[in-house]
């Protein structure tokens, strides 16, 4: 059972890592003028909700399977994601708004955020991997 | 350029392809069928003569393009440089000759009976693919001719398939692919780093537009000295080249000579006549024209060049000292350069010493640094208007620098490092007014536009020539080659003097761009009017005013022979008007399906202004009466805008939306969000941001298709301007708001609308524009303010640009600027003029870099800083809250003054100290806090507040300053003392009074100039002579409550007063509305709320505010 949880988490985490990389690439494209603000933001806004859901699922899963440490580790990031999503002003076109992304260093802060998330997900990835190994070893030990 | 190339055209493909099917069936069949189903689209019998038809000219974009090809020759380019308002008779009339004579059907529209047809909403959702049925349903022309029934013979319909098929391919071919992700940055010829460099091959000698009839060129300096060639510029560098034989093409000659005339001929009463440090020559020639806000004397910037002319002789001598990289410019202690002023211009002295950034000779430190104890200085406001400070550059650079009216920086001395900037606690940013009406503008027609190869900067007066063949970019320091063509100077017809070219002699120039700067042929001027005709709108009665203005100004609309115009009206349905040439009267097409809007006919909705002139006139005459009996109260603004977008997207252009209420139907409908009880709340002001992203998305779509949406909101109740404004804000439109507009109950608003419309319809306009701002390496721009869409980091996409639009940019210092002594900023505005020319207007500003805090303070430009702060505060109040924004404003004063206080710690600390350059800072911030946008505690309607914020964001500095801090003059005792002469008129110059009731005496009469509105306040015991001589009434009691004009009386006092008023009015593009306010009338509240130095129930008086600031500092 443990193993299944972690295998799922691993897959989910992989997806989140890819997503973070995608965010970074798209944002840096915008920075270098390869794409314009409008298309960049519409591309990114599409993935804000999947990212939020994907991350929430893992977190809830950790809560359900009583992995407190991993749950608490994930909690702030999930909270931030949800908060960010809820706090979008009604007139904006999503978390990424093409009319504001160039203002007040927003692009930079989005970039920073994506980088931090990438690091965080990588950390989680290895943690899940380790936990998976541990649980498999435990299962094996129990069988013996 | 959001939409990928395909969809836009694909869509139209469907649009246009569709009709051919249904139309083909032929007359007998189509008629009845159309009749049967058309209820939903066109419901209403309309009497009309038979024999119209679509068979008229199917004129697509192709025609326009073809016309464009040989357009250049038109002499109509002449008025480019003129503010259209001032010389309406000069304006675009010159191109009339090429007009086709309008069809002479002067048939007056049969009484509007048929027009206000009963609406029979037959739901008829058009299938997504525009399949044949909805189209066949249309057949509006048939209906028109025969509303009775199926007996219609649609004689014209067979022509349609042919016409359509002819027109459509052209349409597709004519504009090149409009957008693609890759192209986006380059789009309308944007000066993108990736754009191909302009050809660098030697070419034929160029033709040059020459602004000035000139002095003979100065003998050139040696090339060995070329490093600072710009410093050696002759005062009048350009001689006329209009007779230049080498000009290759007639059309260019036409353009050139026109620019020559435009710049040379003095334009009386022109707003800009006296502007501009960059144009020393203007001042000598136009000294008699009105100075807008600079009173008698030209401001210090021009003063310097004038004197420089005298001193200019020994260029060779004075000049070598400048050599090593402008060392001298920063080096001389301020006193050195400043001290020259008093000698040269003793007259200016007492005026400008107040805040000109100039020093008195006696003072060891510059005047702008003189510490002032604000709490003890009673009259902090100078008696004359405040000038822009002059950057502390050497005279030659100063003379070349851009006019402060176009380009201003909050700090005229740029701090070397971000740390120093942080220490000074002053905002750093630029205030731009790039498309200002100019009386004098060098227009350059050249095959190669010389630009830096790496950063794409345009060559400008501040580059350095390393030798004859190479120049060093002043923004990125790359060394570039001088193209062969540039070596030849067509003005002097000499070779080998690249530094004498007009590009290098003027910091504001305009290039005629080649096809490298186009992604499609320049678009024609296209105007679409979208008008609210609901019951509410009819009540307000704006339509008559608008139609009248349009009729009067139809000939003055900027444009050429390709100009197109269209009309749409909407209530709960959308009405289109087919004005195709050949009809004897306009056709009205009604689309009632607002959930999926489509265009009822592919052609004839936007028609050539000249070909369909008569029809347009008929429509404009009929429109005001067509809907008078309407009972429709709903407003489907969103769908109407979607339709307008569809109509405009093939070409781009300007959409003018007139709206009178909250949109209540279809996409983009809004709810009332204002709680009237919260209007005077001191705590939270909610709903400053938009309620929906519909208008923002629409604006971005429009911006992508080069369409700007201008909003005229004429409403009596809350209309959620904060949401509606988005449609203009992001599409580079402009916003006009007329609260409680009513054509009879509120005559002053109506007069304002009339005046605004006159300006709006006739002012210059640029289409498909982009603006890029570049700055010296080390500086970076991070936030932009104004109406536009930031397409990429430094590229502002402006679907339209108008001369009344201002912009602001915040800057930060990323790298230390220690290795340079000068920084430069360059804005390049690429636009299509209304004559279909692609032009680039380039402004370059050069500022010194300083390393000490004192110098930073000395160079602070308090007005620019206030305008930038106001812009930042608007952002803050929307993204955070109004109280945050107010706190931030107060903190800006507290921080900057305490930063200054710490530098002069040796002085006594008894009062609130400020350098002279910042002495008005607290006053202006207080004025800002009492401005409608930011005030709390005073009842302010949400829309009024939001409108004030919109204005702050989009107004240029001069207008914004008057809005924030009006000018108050006492006018009952005008004398000729200090008066200036303008066009043989004597204009008295009454001193400025501080905005406080203590200055208002009962015996006096005062004029308050708030920019867009004038108040004349008449005291109770005002001299009866004044009342009689100026107002034309025997005594105070007989003055009416509402008075908006001064009578023309034949008395000296009246003449003086009117001459002063006219002078003020002429100095700005929008002629303000005058209110005469009696001391006892209820309207005096409006007047008194502008007295910012006084205490109100909710806000500090000026003195209290100073104490508050002092308290905060000492904390």
């Amino acid at each position: 059972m443990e193993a299944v949880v972690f295998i799922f988490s691993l897959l989910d985490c992989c997806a989140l890592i890819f997503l973070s990389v995608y965010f970074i690439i798209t944002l840096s494209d915008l920075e270098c003028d390869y794409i314009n603000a409008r298309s960049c933001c519409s591309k990114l806004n599409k993935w804000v909700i999947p990212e939020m859901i994907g991350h929430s699922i893992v977190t809830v899963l950790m809560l359900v399977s009583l992995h407190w440490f991993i749950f608490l580790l994930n909690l702030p990031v999930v909270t931030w994601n949800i908060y960010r999503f809820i706090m979008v002003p009604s007139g904006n076109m999503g978390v990424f708004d093409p009319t504001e992304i160039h203002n007040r260093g927003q692009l930079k802060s989005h970039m920073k955020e994506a980088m931090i998330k990438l690091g965080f997900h990588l950390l989680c990835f290895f943690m899940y991997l380790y936990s998976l190994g541990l649980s498999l070893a435990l299962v094996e030990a129990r069988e013996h | 350029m959001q939409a990928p190339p395909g969809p836009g055209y694909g869509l139209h493909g469907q649009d246009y392809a569709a009709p051919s099917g249904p139309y083909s069936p032929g007359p007998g069949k189509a008629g009845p069928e159309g009749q049967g189903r058309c209820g939903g689209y066109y419901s209403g019998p309309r009497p009309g003569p038979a024999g119209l038809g679509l068979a008229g000219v199917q004129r697509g974009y192709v025609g326009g393009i073809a016309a464009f090809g040989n357009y250049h020759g038109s002499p109509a380019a002449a008025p480019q440089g003129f503010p259209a308002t001032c010389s309406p008779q000069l304006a675009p009339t010159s191109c009339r000759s090429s007009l086709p004579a309008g069809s002479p059907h002067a048939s007056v529209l049969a009484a509007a009976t048929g027009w206000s047809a009963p609406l029979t909403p037959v739901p008829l959702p058009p299938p997504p693919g525009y399949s044949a049925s909805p189209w066949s349903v249309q057949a509006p022309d048939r209906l028109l001719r025969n509303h009775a029934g199926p007996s219609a013979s649609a004689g014209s319909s067979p022509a349609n398939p042919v016409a359509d098929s002819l027109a459509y391919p052209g349409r597709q071919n004519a504009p090149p692919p409009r957008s693609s992700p890759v192209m986006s940055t380059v789009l309308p010829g944007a000066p993108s780093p990736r754009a191909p460099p302009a050809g660098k091959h030697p070419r034929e000698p160029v033709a040059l537009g020459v602004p000035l009839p000139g002095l003979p060129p100065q003998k050139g300096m040696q090339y060995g000295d070329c490093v600072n060639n710009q410093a050696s510029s002759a005062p009048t560098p350009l001689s006329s080249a209009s007779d230049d034989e080498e000009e290759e093409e007639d059309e260019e000659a036409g353009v050139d000579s026109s620019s020559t005339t435009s710049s040379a001929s003095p334009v009386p009463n022109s707003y800009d006549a006296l502007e501009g440090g960059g144009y020393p020559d203007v001042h000598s020639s136009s000294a008699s024209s009105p100075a807008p806000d600079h009173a008698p004397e030209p401001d210090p910037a021009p003063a310097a060049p004038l004197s420089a002319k005298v001193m200019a002789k020994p260029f060779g001598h004075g000049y070598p000292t400048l050599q090593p990289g402008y060392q001298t410019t920063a080096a001389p202690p301020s006193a050195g350069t400043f001290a020259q002023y008093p000698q040269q211009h003793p007259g200016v002295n007492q005026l400008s010493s107040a805040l000109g950034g100039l020093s008195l000779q006696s003072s060891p430190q510059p005047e702008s640094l003189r510490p002032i104890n604000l709490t003890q200085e009673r009259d902090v406001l100078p008696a004359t208007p405040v000038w822009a400070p002059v950057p502390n550059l050497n005279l030659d650079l100063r003379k070349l620098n851009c006019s402060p009216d176009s380009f201003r920086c909050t700090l005229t001395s740029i701090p070397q490092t971000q740390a120093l900037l942080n220490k000074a606690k002053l905002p750093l940013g630029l205030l731009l007014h790039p498309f200002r009406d100019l009386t004098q503008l060098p227009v350059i027609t050249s095959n190669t536009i010389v630009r830096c190869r790496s950063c794409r900067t345009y060559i400008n007066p501040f580059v350095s020539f390393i030798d004859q063949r190479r120049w060093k970019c002043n923004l990125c320091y790359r060394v570039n080659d001088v193209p062969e063509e540039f070596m030849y100077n067509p003005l002097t017809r000499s070779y080998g003097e690249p530094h004498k070219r007009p590009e290098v002699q003027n910091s504001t120039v305009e290039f005629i761009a080649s096809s490298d700067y186009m992604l499609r042929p320049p678009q024609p001027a296209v105007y679409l009017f979208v008008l609210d005709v609901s019951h509410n709108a009819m009540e307000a009665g704006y339509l008559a005013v608008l139609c009248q203005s349009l009729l009067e100004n139809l000939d003055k609309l900027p444009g050429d022979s390709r100009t197109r115009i269209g009309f749409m009206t909407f209530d709960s349905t959308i009405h289109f008007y087919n004005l195709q040439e050949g009809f004897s009267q306009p056709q009205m097409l009604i689309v009632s399906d607002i959930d999926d809007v489509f265009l009822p006919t592919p052609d004839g909705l936007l028609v050539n202004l000249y070909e369909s002139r008569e029809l347009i006139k008929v429509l404009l005459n009929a429109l005001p009466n067509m809907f008078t009996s309407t009972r429709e109260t709903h407003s489907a603004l969103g769908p109407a805008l979607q339709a307008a977008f569809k109509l405009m997207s093939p070409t781009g252009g300007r959409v003018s939306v007139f709206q009178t209420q909250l949109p209540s139907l279809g996409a983009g409908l809004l709810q009332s969000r204002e709680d009237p009880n919260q209007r005077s709340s001191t705590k939270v002001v909610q709903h400053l941001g938009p309620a929906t992203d519909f208008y923002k998305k629409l604006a971005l779509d429009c911006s992508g298709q080069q369409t700007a949406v201008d909003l005229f909101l004429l409403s009596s109740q809350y209309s959620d301007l904060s949401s509606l404004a988005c449609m203009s804000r992001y599409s580079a439109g402009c916003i006009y708001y007329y609260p409680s507009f009513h054509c009879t109950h509120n005559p002053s608003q109506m007069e304002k609308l009339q005046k605004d419309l006159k300006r709006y319809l006739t002012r210059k306009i640029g289409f498909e524009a982009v603006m890029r701002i570049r700055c010296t390496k080390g500086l970076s721009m991070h936030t932009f303010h104004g109406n536009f869409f930031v397409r990429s980091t430094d590229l502002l996409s402006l679907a339209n640009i108008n001369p009344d639009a201002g912009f602001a940019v915040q800057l930060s210092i990323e790298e230390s600027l220690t290795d340079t002594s000068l920084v430069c900023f360059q804005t390049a505005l690429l636009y299509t003029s209304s004559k279909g020319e692609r032009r680039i207007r380039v402004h370059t500003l050069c500022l010194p870099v300083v390393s000490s805090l004192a110098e930073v303070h000395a160079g602070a430009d308090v007005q620019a800083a206030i305008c930038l702060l106001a812009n930042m505060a608007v952002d803050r109040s929307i993204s955070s809250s109004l109280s945050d924004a107010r706190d931030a404003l107060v903190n800006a004063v507290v921080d900057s003054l305490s930063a200054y206080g710490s530098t002069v710690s040796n002085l006594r600390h008894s009062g609130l100290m400020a350098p002279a350059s910042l002495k008005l800072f607290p006053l202006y911030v207080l004025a800002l806090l009492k401005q409608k946008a930011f005030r709390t505690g005073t009842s302010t309607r949400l829309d009024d507040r939001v409108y004030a914020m919109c204005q702050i964001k989009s107004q240029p500095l001069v207008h914004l300053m008057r809005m924030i801090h009006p000018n108050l003059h006492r006018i009952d005792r005008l004398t000729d003392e200090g008066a200036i002469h303008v066009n043989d008129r004597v204009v008295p110059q009454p001193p400025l009074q501080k905005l406080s009731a203590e200055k208002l005496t009962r015996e006096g009469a005062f004029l308050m100039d708030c920019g867009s509105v004038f108040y004349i306040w008449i005291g109770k015991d005002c001299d009866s002579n004044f009342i009689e001589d100026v107002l034309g009434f025997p005594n105070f009691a007989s003055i009416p409550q509402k008075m908006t004009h001064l009578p023309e009386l034949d008395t000296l006092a009246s003449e003086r007063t009117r001459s002063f008023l006219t002078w003020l009015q002429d100095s700005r593009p929008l002629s303000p509305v005058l209110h005469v306010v009696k001391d006892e009338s209820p309207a005096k509240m409006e007047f008194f709320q502008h007295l910012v130095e006084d205490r109100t129930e909710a806000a500090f008086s000026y003195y209290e505010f100073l104490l508050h600031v002092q308290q905060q500092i000492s904390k």
Side-chain angles (χ1 to χ4, degrees), chain A residues 45-112:
Chain A
N45 281 330
K46 251 186 288 181
W47 290 103
V48 168
I49 295 179
E51 186 203 11
M52 199 168 67
I53 292 173
H55 201 182
S56 308
I57 289 175
V58 186
T59 317
V60 172
L61 201 64
M62 289 302 151
L63 177 66
V64 171
S65 61
L66 302 177
H67 291 94
W68 290 108
F69 176 72
I70 300 179
F71 170 71
L72 288 178
L73 192 72
N74 272 299
L75 194 60
V77 182
V78 171
T79 321
W80 165 250
N81 274 343
I82 295 173
Y83 170 82
R84 183 177 74 145
F85 183 74
I86 292 174
M87 293 314 282
V88 173
S90 55
N92 278 17
M93 293 163 67
V95 172
F96 299 88
D97 189 280
T99 57
E100 294 187 357
I101 196 156
H102 285 296
N103 274 6
R104 297 185 293 275
Q106 277 199 11
L107 185 53
K108 272 182 195 160
S109 59
H110 282 310
M111 193 73 165
K112 214 180 281 170

Side-chain angles (χ1 to χ4, degrees), chain A:
Chain A
M1 193 58 214
E2 282 282 272
V4 178
V5 168
F6 282 112
I7 288 174
F8 178 79
S9 306
L10 263 182
L11 291 177
D12 197 283
C13 195
C14 281
L16 288 175
I17 289 174
F18 276 115
L19 212 53
S20 298
V21 172
Y22 175 72
F23 272 53
I24 292 173
I25 292 176
T26 315
L27 285 172
S28 61
D29 273 359
L30 178 63
E31 248 177 3
C32 311
D33 278 8
Y34 290 130
I35 51 174
N36 67 53
R38 183 95 198 261
S39 54
C40 168
C41 291
S42 63
K43 271 183 185 176
L44 296 184
N45 281 330
K46 251 186 288 181
W47 290 103
V48 168
I49 295 179
E51 186 203 11
M52 199 168 67
I53 292 173
H55 201 182
S56 308
I57 289 175
V58 186
T59 317
V60 172
L61 201 64
M62 289 302 151
L63 177 66
V64 171
S65 61
L66 302 177
H67 291 94
W68 290 108
F69 176 72
I70 300 179
F71 170 71
L72 288 178
L73 192 72
N74 272 299
L75 194 60
V77 182
V78 171
T79 321
W80 165 250
N81 274 343
I82 295 173
Y83 170 82
R84 183 177 74 145
F85 183 74
I86 292 174
M87 293 314 282
V88 173
S90 55
N92 278 17
M93 293 163 67
V95 172
F96 299 88
D97 189 280
T99 57
E100 294 187 357
I101 196 156
H102 285 296
N103 274 6
R104 297 185 293 275
Q106 277 199 11
L107 185 53
K108 272 182 195 160
S109 59
H110 282 310
M111 193 73 165
K112 214 180 281 170
E113 191 186 312
M115 291 282 196
I116 292 171
K117 274 190 195 156
L118 177 63
F120 173 79
H121 289 314
L122 279 176
L123 178 78
C124 286
F125 180 82
F126 288 110
M127 211 147 53
Y128 299 149
L129 202 62
Y130 172 77
S131 305
L132 178 62
L134 207 64
S135 62
L136 286 178
L138 274 179
V139 168
E140 223 160 276
R142 233 177 272 151
E143 276 170 7
H144 281 289

Side-chain angles (χ1 to χ4, degrees), chain B residues 39 82 114 201 237 366 374 437 443 446 457 464 509 524 540 569 603 635 702 776 842 895 978 1002 1078 1087 1107:
Chain B
F82 287 89
H201 309 291
L374 290 175
D437 290 324
V443 179
S446 161
T457 299
S464 39
V509 289
T569 52
D603 283 300
S635 156
C702 285
T776 299
V842 179
D895 291 347
R1002 282 186 175 189
K1078 281 167 74 175
F1087 175 80
L1107 291 184

Side-chain angles (χ1 to χ4, degrees), chain B residues 931-943:
Chain B
Q931 229 283 324
K932 263 188 190 156
F934 302 112
R935 71 186 180 193
T936 54
T938 315
S939 179
T940 312
R941 300 196 313 164
L942 191 53
D943 276 348

Side-chain angles (χ1 to χ4, degrees), chain A residues 30-39 89-94 97-105 107-108, chain B residues 1-2 181 184-185 194 690-693 696-697 700-701 730 782-784 789-793 814 875 879:
Chain A
L30 178 63
E31 248 177 3
C32 311
D33 278 8
Y34 290 130
I35 51 174
N36 67 53
R38 183 95 198 261
S39 54
S90 55
N92 278 17
M93 293 163 67
D97 189 280
T99 57
E100 294 187 357
I101 196 156
H102 285 296
N103 274 6
R104 297 185 293 275
L107 185 53
K108 272 182 195 160
Chain B
M1 296 291 84
Q2 287 69 33
S184 64
T185 47
R194 273 172 295 166
T692 161
D693 62 359
K696 191 185 252 187
K697 278 184 178 150
L700 295 185
D701 288 336
Y730 301 110
H782 62 87
T783 304
F784 300 88
F789 172 51
V790 190
R791 205 158 58 200
S792 67
T793 36
E814 303 240 302
D875 271 9
S879 66

Side-chain angles (χ1 to χ4, degrees), chain B residues 247-300:
Chain B
E247 277 168 351
E248 298 162 309
E249 294 158 354
D250 281 351
E251 49 265 38
E252 285 181 356
V255 170
D256 290 341
S257 54
S258 71
S259 72
T260 310
T261 9
S262 73
S263 47
S265 61
V267 183
N269 303 340
S270 139
Y271 171 48
D272 302 283
L274 243 197
E275 313 273 327
Y279 307 123
D281 305 286
V282 181
H283 294 283
S284 45
S285 66
S286 66
S288 60
S289 46
D293 45 343
H294 307 166
E297 300 274 348
D299 75 40

